[in-house]
Amino acid sequence: MLVIGLTGGIGSGKSTVAGFIKEKGIKVIDADQVAREIVEPGKPALGEINEEFGPNILKEDGTLNRKKLGGIIFSDKDARQRLNKITHPRIRKRMFEKVDEKRKDQGGKGLIVLEVPLLIEVGLYKSVDRVWVVSASETSQIQRLMKRDRISREEAAKRIQSQMPLYEKEKYADAIIDNNQEPKEVREQVHAMIDDLLKKIDNSCK
Ligand code: ADP
C-alpha cells in the first residue's frame, strides 16, 4: 500500500483536494482530526497538557480549552514547543496506527492519504512514499481565506506569511496540484493523478 502525504499552505486547498481524493474511494487520514482525538478527556496527552499549562486550561466539562491554549502558544515559542512535544509524537503514532489498520483491511494494496498541514516542517515527509503539495497563488490564498474565515486581507496575509512559504514546500513534492483553477478542473486533475498512480501500482504488482 502506497502512503501519500498531502500538504500545502493555509488556504491553498488541502481539504478541498482531500475531498476529491475521497470521491475516488481512497481513505484520507486528517492530522487535524487526529490532533483533536488525542486530547480528548481521559487521553494521556490531556493530562500532560493540564500539568504543563495549569488547571485553567480545561473547561468545566473537562475538555481542552482550545481558545485559551491557542492564546498562550500564539505568542510564546517556548510554550508552543512544549505543547508540540506532548502532542506531535502521539499524532504521528495514531496516524500510522490508522495506516496499519487500513493496510490490513486492504491486504497491503492500493493507496492511503495522510493530510498533514505541517508534513514538511515536522519531517513527516520522510515517512511517506509520495509527497503531494497543493499549491495556489498568494492572491488566491488570501481571497479564499478572507472568505472562508471572514478575516481581513491583512490578517489573511499575516497568517500566510507566518508559515513556511509554498515554494519551499514545493521543493519536497513528488507532485504539485495546481489549485489556481476552477474546482471542476482541479477535481479532474486530482482524479487523473489517482487513476494514474493506481494503474502504476497495479502494473508493478503484475
Ligand atoms: P486548506 O485546507 O488548505 O486550508 P481549503 O481546502 O479549506 O484550504 O480551501 C480554502 C478555501 O478556498 C475554502 O473555502 C475552499 O472552499 C476554497 N477553495 C479551495 N479551492 C478552490 C478553488 N479551486 N476555487 C475556488 N475556491 C476554492
Side-chain angles (χ1 to χ4, degrees):
M1 192 176 66
L2 205 72
V3 183
I4 300 175
L6 180 73
T7 194
I10 179 169
S12 77
K14 296 178 295 294
S15 309
T16 304
V17 167
F20 298 150
I21 292 172
K22 287 180 207 159
E23 289 172 356
K24 297 292 287 181
I26 309 284
K27 165 111 177 145
V28 178
I29 297 169
D30 174 0
D32 286 341
Q33 197 192 321
V34 174
R36 285 191 290 275
E37 276 175 36
I38 59 123
V39 295
E40 281 167 358
K43 300 277 168 71
L46 190 61
E48 285 184 27
I49 291 171
N50 191 23
E51 268 175 39
E52 188 71 48
F53 296 94
N56 296 330
I57 209 68
L58 300 188
K59 292 197 270 193
E60 266 181 23
D61 63 2
T63 59
L64 183 61
N65 190 335
R66 299 180 164 278
K67 215 168 163 184
K68 191 154 190 182
L69 186 61
I72 296 172
I73 62 163
F74 182 72
S75 52
D76 184 344
K77 195 171 164 220
D78 180 59
R80 202 157 54 232
Q81 277 172 351
R82 282 186 282 135
L83 178 67
N84 291 347
K85 220 170 146 188
I86 297 170
T87 56
H88 282 180
R90 291 186 164 99
I91 297 169
R92 188 190 181 102
K93 181 164 174 271
R94 186 66 196 120
M95 274 201 304
F96 281 97
E97 280 170 5
K98 285 175 186 258
V99 169
D100 286 342
E101 284 162 20
K102 194 69 188 165
R103 203 190 300 275
K104 277 186 201 137
D105 263 15
Q106 295 187 175
K109 294 202 183 81
L111 298 174
I112 191 160
V113 174
L114 305 183
E115 182 190 346
V116 189
L118 301 180
L119 187 84
I120 315 290
E121 293 90 326
V122 303
L124 256 179
Y125 68 94
K126 294 179 206 154
S127 305
V128 297
D129 301 308
R130 296 278 192 289
V131 173
W132 285 9
V133 173
V134 185
S135 203
S137 70
E138 192 164 307
T139 315
S140 304
Q141 264 179 297
I142 289 177
Q143 275 166 359
R144 291 171 189 169
L145 275 180
M146 285 169 67
K147 201 166 153 201
R148 187 190 70 184
D149 298 345
R150 294 162 201 258
I151 53 176
S152 67
R153 178 174 300 277
E154 290 70 31
E155 180 59 29
K158 206 169 97 188
R159 288 189 195 177
I160 292 167
Q161 275 144 26
S162 72
Q163 294 196 334
M164 183 178 190
L166 260 175
Y167 65 82
E168 285 292 340
K169 296 197 175 186
E170 287 178 2
K171 292 181 190 165
Y172 293 80
D174 295 292
I176 296 171
I177 296 161
D178 173 14
N179 190 26
N180 288 304
Q181 317 160 64
E182 289 299 312
K184 188 174 161 285
E185 260 102 31
V186 181
R187 184 167 182 259
E188 278 171 20
Q189 187 192 160
V190 171
H191 285 188
M193 285 169 72
I194 295 284
D195 288 340
D196 193 44
L197 205 50
L198 284 173
K199 221 186 285 168
K200 274 189 195 144
I201 298 175
D202 215 28
N203 283 336
S204 70
C205 290
K206 277 179 190 154

